[in-house]
């Protein structure tokens, strides 16, 4: 099968290699770029819990001053994996959904236990910090990265895509979905996907791309990509 991956290369290279080992054709179209933002380091000793709604939040954070035994709340498995690699020990993980993450925090962290710090990108689709404050938590938010859309493709890549439309496309965020949709419109590719299966990380991502006619739409969690190939 021909598979199109849309995450930045750092997040896609292992999957690209795995799919190629399985005999699939893989195209790579990173639709967003991640840019680190300057932020002021807080006194981490004032916090008993830390929240990550993206693996990029961890990758762009100086964790040298953070006690790795702190309560660590991650939005999904991909974020949990990076947290473990960085040394965090006391991890609680949702299944890729920020509203579920809120419930996990409510169940496992009493606001009387101390303060929370929330590390995220500039744009979020769910105001987790505000929701937690309503529940009586003290939450400090740090913004340590921003997301920019890719706005131009090479003529060579567009030609290759038109000649061989992938059977599967993976989309990992709402921002990625918007960027992907804009690229398809810009290069007159909007009507080419009737035989393509769309794999989306969450309903909000798939909703952005509902105006395109797909063969089927599947929702998935990070780590399920290979499994999904056998559902088609």
């Amino acid at each position: 099968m021909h598979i199109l991956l849309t995450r930045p290369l750092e997040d896609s290279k292992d999957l690209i290699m795995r799919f190629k080992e399985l005999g699939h054709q893989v195209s790579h179209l990173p639709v967003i770029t991640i840019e680190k933002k300057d932020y002021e380091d807080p006194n981490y000793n004032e916090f008993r819990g830390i929240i990550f709604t993206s693996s990029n939040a961890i990758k762009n954070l100086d964790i040298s001053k953070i006690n790795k035994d702190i309560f660590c709340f991650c939005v999904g498995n991909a974020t949990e994996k990076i947290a473990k690699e960085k040394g965090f020990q006391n991890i609680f993980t949702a299944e890729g959904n920020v509203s579920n993450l809120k419930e996990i925090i409510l169940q496992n962290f009493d606001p009387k236990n101390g303060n929370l710090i929330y590390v995220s990108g500039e744009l979020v689709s769910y105001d987790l910090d505000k929701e937690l404050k309503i529940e009586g938590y003290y939450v400090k938010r740090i913004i340590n990265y921003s997301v920019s859309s890719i706005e131009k493709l090479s003529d060579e890549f567009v030609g290759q895509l038109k000649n061989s439309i992938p059977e599967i496309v993976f989309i990992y965020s709402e921002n990625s979905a918007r960027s992907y949709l804009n690229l398809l419109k810009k290069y007159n590719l909007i009507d080419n996907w009737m035989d393509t299966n769309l794999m989306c990380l969450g309903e909000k991502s798939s909703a952005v791309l509902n105006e395109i006619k797909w063969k089927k739409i599947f929702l998935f969690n990070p780590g399920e990509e290979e499994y999904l190939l056998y559902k088609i």
Side-chain angles (χ1 to χ4, degrees):
M1 283 188 288
H2 184 188
I3 302 168
L4 179 65
L5 297 175
T6 59
R7 301 180 88 186
L9 182 59
E10 180 184 359
D11 299 316
S12 299
K13 56 186 178 182
D14 290 343
L15 201 53
I16 290 172
M17 292 177 60
R18 179 60 181 153
F19 282 160
K20 286 185 175 180
E21 288 172 356
L22 293 171
H24 299 293
Q25 177 187 350
V26 182
S27 294
H28 181 229
L29 171 59
V31 294
I32 58 172
T33 58
I34 305 299
E35 300 172 4
K36 185 174 182 177
K37 292 181 68 71
D38 293 330
Y39 62 92
E40 184 177 345
D41 267 328
N43 179 0
Y44 291 105
N45 293 327
E46 296 177 357
F47 299 90
R48 292 290 308 280
I50 190 165
I51 304 168
F52 299 115
T53 50
S54 165
S55 58
N56 290 308
I58 307 175
K59 293 174 184 177
N60 289 286
L61 182 68
D62 179 3
I63 64 168
S64 61
K65 301 175 183 177
I66 303 176
N67 181 348
K68 304 309 182 297
D69 289 327
I70 193 172
F71 282 81
C72 179
F73 297 97
C74 295
V75 70
N77 295 330
T79 306
E80 177 190 18
K81 179 181 177 182
I82 301 299
K84 286 182 176 178
E85 290 176 358
K86 296 294 186 180
F88 289 96
Q89 302 294 320
N90 197 13
I91 302 175
F92 297 82
T93 306
E95 296 183 356
N97 185 296
V98 180
S99 60
N100 289 344
L101 180 60
K102 174 190 170 183
E103 292 305 313
I104 286 177
I105 294 170
L106 294 179
Q107 293 168 14
N108 294 279
F109 191 90
D110 192 313
K112 296 177 182 177
N113 289 343
N115 302 330
L116 291 168
I117 187 165
Y118 172 33
V119 188
S120 73
E122 191 170 22
L123 297 176
V124 292
S125 58
Y126 184 96
D127 291 321
L128 179 59
D129 54 333
K130 294 179 181 179
E131 291 290 323
L132 289 172
K133 288 175 181 177
I134 292 172
E135 300 288 346
Y137 291 83
Y138 175 86
V139 185
K140 179 178 178 60
R141 183 180 171 197
I142 289 180
I143 298 172
N144 68 342
Y145 74 93
S146 61
V147 175
S148 299
S149 296
I150 298 295
E151 297 182 353
K152 187 175 182 180
L153 302 177
S154 69
D155 292 338
E156 180 182 7
F157 186 88
V158 172
Q160 291 173 351
L161 203 58
K162 287 182 177 180
N163 289 331
S164 178
I165 296 296
E167 285 111 317
I168 298 175
V169 176
F170 283 95
I171 300 291
Y172 285 82
S173 70
E174 190 175 352
N175 286 329
S176 294
R178 290 195 189 97
S179 180
Y180 185 67
L181 180 62
N182 289 336
L183 287 170
L184 296 187
K185 290 180 176 180
K186 181 175 181 178
Y187 290 96
N188 298 315
L189 290 164
I190 203 78
D191 298 321
N192 296 60
W193 306 92
M194 293 182 67
D195 295 321
T196 300
N197 295 285
L198 175 66
M199 310 296 189
C200 278
L201 189 66
E203 294 181 0
K204 289 186 177 181
S205 301
S206 65
V208 173
L209 295 168
N210 274 342
E211 66 181 87
I212 300 174
K213 292 182 179 179
W214 304 94
K215 185 176 182 180
K216 288 184 179 180
I217 298 176
F218 297 86
L219 302 181
F220 74 100
N221 294 314
E224 296 179 345
E225 290 92 341
E226 184 178 335
Y227 166 74
L228 283 174
L229 303 186
Y230 300 100
K231 294 184 67 174
I232 298 173

